[in-house]
Amino acid sequence: MTRVLVVGSVNMDLVVEAERYPRLGETLFGKRFASYPGGKGANQAVAAARLGAQVTLLGCVGRDMFGSQLKETLQGEGVDIGRLRETDVATGLATITLAEGDNAIVVVPGANHELLPQHLNQDEQAFRDADVVLAQMEVPLATVERAAELAQRHGKPFLLNPAPAHPLPPSLLERTALLTPNEHELAQALDERGGDWQALMRKLPGRVAMTRGKDGAYFCRADGSLHHQPGFVVSAVDTTGAGDTFNGALAAFWPQGLEAAMALACAAAALSVTRAGAQSGMPTLAALQQMLKEQA
Ligand code: RIB
């Protein structure tokens, strides 16, 4: 059982479905509203836990209704929240509009931005206990940097999903065993304007796996050649959380080697889009194995 330590955000997702995106200044009627547990950190923690990993989440929620609901959900998924902090700042929130087969998200970080580097120092034991450390960019950059430092200090691979997109300091990139951006996030991470995505990947040989939606994912090997893991064909209901499922799965299957882990992670991500809500469609290990058997 892989021991995965996730350092990241916990949000409540308020999801509205509409025929199309509203124009600036326009009011539209939506078709449906629902709230779902979300946040890239929590989503990735749940994805890894459903796939059989032993997961600890370092994050922060508010002492409010959403905070209590989200803690309960995480506990129900078997994620260890013993080190999850609480604050008087409101729990993180994401408003998500689903339209035209895609999503548009506005995140209010709230309590997520109260997770500070010194809190990770206090939880250093969690880094000692982990096999893999996984982080994203919905908590402060300084906290992500400390997570990378602590992972390095304890000799643990540090996986960074650089979402939402953000330029990354070279020292953070150096400590990252694997960066998992989409095309836009990689350009931002490297602070590059434009440029061919394959050329950008070759700037981090052996250390970048890019997600490409339906096309699956690419890994840039140490020699600069690209490994392509094709995507799996499914009928998508809600793509929110597909990237998170990929990342959680990658961490859970890390000991199997990267190319094998990528195949499993792409399959898990495909299954995750078949239900509404970031976490609802994330597969269990049994569901993933069943899908792979059917597709073989
Ligand atoms: O990656 C999807 C997640 O991004 C959503 O669950 C939302 O909370 C935002 O953080």
Side-chain angles (χ1 to χ4, degrees):
M1 207 190 242
T2 317
R3 296 168 303 170
V4 177
L5 174 62
V6 179
V7 179
S9 57
V10 184
N11 294 336
M12 186 59 86
D13 291 352
L14 306 181
V15 183
V16 167
E17 205 181 320
E19 213 55 75
R20 60 174 175 81
Y21 292 105
R23 282 184 289 276
L24 215 55
E26 185 188 22
T27 300
L28 274 186
F29 281 116
K31 291 198 286 183
R32 254 179 298 277
F33 166 77
S35 60
Y36 298 99
K40 294 183 194 300
N43 292 344
Q44 296 182 19
V46 168
R50 289 223 184 129
L51 293 168
Q54 185 184 314
V55 184
T56 297
L57 176 61
L58 299 187
C60 188
V61 295
R63 290 187 189 90
D64 50 24
M65 191 181 71
F66 287 158
S68 312
Q69 288 173 3
L70 293 165
K71 281 198 311 183
E72 210 173 298
T73 313
L74 286 162
Q75 236 162 355
E77 295 287 348
V79 174
D80 173 9
I81 56 161
R83 295 175 188 273
L84 195 72
R85 289 171 186 274
E86 285 189 321
T87 170
D88 289 331
V89 176
T91 297
L93 193 80
T95 63
I96 303 182
T97 305
L98 300 181
E100 303 165 37
D102 212 329
N103 61 44
I105 305 182
V106 176
V107 175
V108 182
N112 295 305
H113 275 190
E114 301 295 306
L115 185 73
L116 303 176
Q118 59 263 35
H119 297 141
L120 302 194
N121 295 345
Q122 290 161 15
D123 286 325
E124 189 162 352
Q125 187 60 42
F127 289 80
R128 279 189 204 101
D129 292 343
D131 296 317
V132 184
V133 179
L134 174 61
Q136 323 74 30
M137 302 300 296
E138 284 186 338
V139 294
L141 174 61
T143 305
V144 176
E145 290 183 288
R146 184 59 51 83
E149 285 161 18
L150 289 169
Q152 185 182 45
R153 182 182 299 169
H154 295 288
K156 310 300 164 111
F158 180 70
L159 277 51
L160 178 58
N161 175 220
H166 201 287
L168 301 181
S171 56
L172 178 56
L173 282 171
E174 274 157 30
R175 292 190 172 102
T176 301
L178 188 73
L179 194 71
T180 59
N182 61 24
E183 185 175 340
H184 166 67
E185 289 156 357
L186 181 58
Q188 287 275 312
L190 299 176
D191 214 0
E192 296 269 355
R193 309 272 172 275
D196 162 51
W197 62 269
Q198 302 194 359
L200 284 184
M201 286 190 81
R202 291 196 174 94
K203 291 187 179 240
L204 292 174
R207 292 192 300 127
V208 59
M210 183 187 281
T211 49
R212 302 271 305 161
K214 281 187 212 148
D215 188 29
Y218 287 77
F219 170 58
C220 181
R221 297 192 184 100
D223 65 3
S225 63
L226 293 188
H227 164 72
H228 179 210
Q229 171 56 56
F232 292 76
V233 182
V234 288
S235 116
V237 173
D238 179 0
T239 57
T240 314
D244 296 330
T245 309
F246 178 84
N247 279 278
L250 214 52
F253 296 123
W254 186 258
Q256 301 197 21
L258 189 60
E259 293 184 13
M262 271 174 68
L264 295 164
C266 280
L271 279 174
S272 77
V273 306
T274 59
R275 290 181 61 186
Q279 297 173 13
S280 324
M282 290 175 176
T284 60
L285 190 55
L288 181 64
Q289 283 163 344
Q290 179 65 29
M291 178 220 197
L292 292 170
K293 206 155 65 178
E294 285 166 12
Q295 298 236 349

